Amino acid sequence: MSRYNGEQVLVVPREVFEAVGAFNGVSTEPQKYLAAFLKPGVAHYMDRDEAENSPQFKQLITYAIFCHEGRILAYSRTKKSGESRLHDKWSLGIGGHINPIDGLTASVDTYLAGMEREIREEITFSGNAKQQLYALINDDTNEVGSVHLGIVHRFDLDSDEVRANEKALDNLGFRTLDELSGELYAKLETWSAICVDALRAEQD
């Protein structure tokens, strides 16, 4: 029986990622990668069971970070979260996979629908948000990262009223970069640590 109940997820061939320019860490030119990934015939849906064990493909993961007056939204993952390999880790990212419910063909509209759906499922926030496509994250140093690409969107909020819609998101709240760079840093999942490093670099 499928571990993921037959879930279909949007993937891109690793060779496409390499053709644009493979890297490990963070790229601040996400637009060029996303444009290449969403060209007709490039990204496609694959059974998640297969995708999780196929490093020749990269699952596209929307990864939204939320900021308010210099602080960043963070939470710890409980055992109710879907990815067991990330349990008890701290994260900045709100988001996840893109599925056929978001659109039957890969396109910008499908991608954005997936990001918006994942945000609605995980959190509710008040006020207005200014959004930007912020970065692309790749980490081939571990088994989770080797089959995923994180597409980071930054949301700057004019209110800090945010609540979790899922029990998997514990200790949800805004924290300073100093807090995230201090005792919490060792507890961050890899992608979140990369985001913290990028945000700190902006300040230096």
Side-chain angles (χ1 to χ4, degrees):
M1 184 176 177
S2 170
R3 177 184 173 191
Y4 299 103
N5 299 314
E7 180 184 2
Q8 298 287 303
V9 296
L10 196 65
V11 303
V12 296
R14 178 181 286 271
E15 62 190 26
V16 175
F17 170 54
E18 293 176 347
V20 181
F23 65 90
N24 220 44
V26 63
S27 168
T28 55
E29 297 181 294
Q31 295 88 349
K32 70 177 184 180
Y33 289 91
L34 199 56
F37 298 160
L38 296 179
K39 285 181 178 178
V42 175
H44 62 277
Y45 290 110
M46 175 185 285
D47 185 88
R48 186 174 173 185
D49 255 338
E50 181 182 357
E52 291 288 346
N53 296 287
S54 302
Q56 64 268 36
F57 293 97
K58 285 283 194 177
Q59 299 168 57
L60 297 184
I61 304 295
T62 61
Y63 199 80
I65 59 175
F66 291 81
C67 304
H68 175 70
E69 295 183 350
R71 296 179 300 152
I72 302 96
L73 192 68
Y75 62 92
S76 58
R77 294 183 186 270
T78 71
K79 288 182 169 57
K80 293 183 181 294
S81 66
E83 180 49 78
S84 61
R85 293 168 291 188
L86 298 177
H87 288 168
D88 299 323
K89 292 285 190 178
W90 279 76
S91 178
L92 312 184
I94 300 293
H97 294 86
I98 300 163
N99 307 121
I101 194 175
D102 305 312
L104 295 179
T105 58
S107 68
V108 173
D109 287 343
T110 294
Y111 169 79
L112 292 175
M115 178 181 69
E116 292 167 4
R117 172 184 54 77
E118 287 284 353
I119 291 172
R120 287 196 307 271
E121 289 176 356
E122 296 187 20
I123 63 170
T124 297
F125 61 87
S126 302
N128 299 309
K130 181 180 178 183
Q131 188 249 136
Q132 69 175 110
L133 180 58
Y134 184 68
L136 189 77
I137 291 175
N138 183 58
D139 177 25
D140 283 329
T141 66
N142 61 74
E143 63 177 3
V144 178
S146 68
V147 293
H148 295 90
L149 275 174
I151 305 172
V152 184
H153 290 254
R154 175 173 173 167
F155 288 77
D156 286 284
L157 306 180
D158 63 6
S159 168
D160 63 357
E161 294 184 17
V162 180
R163 63 177 175 83
N165 294 335
E166 296 183 349
K167 292 182 179 179
L169 280 62
D170 201 15
N171 301 306
L172 184 75
F174 287 92
R175 298 177 181 271
T176 66
L177 270 177
D178 285 342
E179 289 178 290
L180 294 169
S181 301
E183 291 182 3
L184 282 178
Y185 190 82
K187 300 178 182 178
L188 292 174
E189 65 185 23
T190 306
W191 284 5
S192 292
I194 291 172
C195 285
V196 168
D197 291 343
L199 290 166
R200 286 208 73 93
E202 284 184 1
Q203 294 186 343
D204 295 340

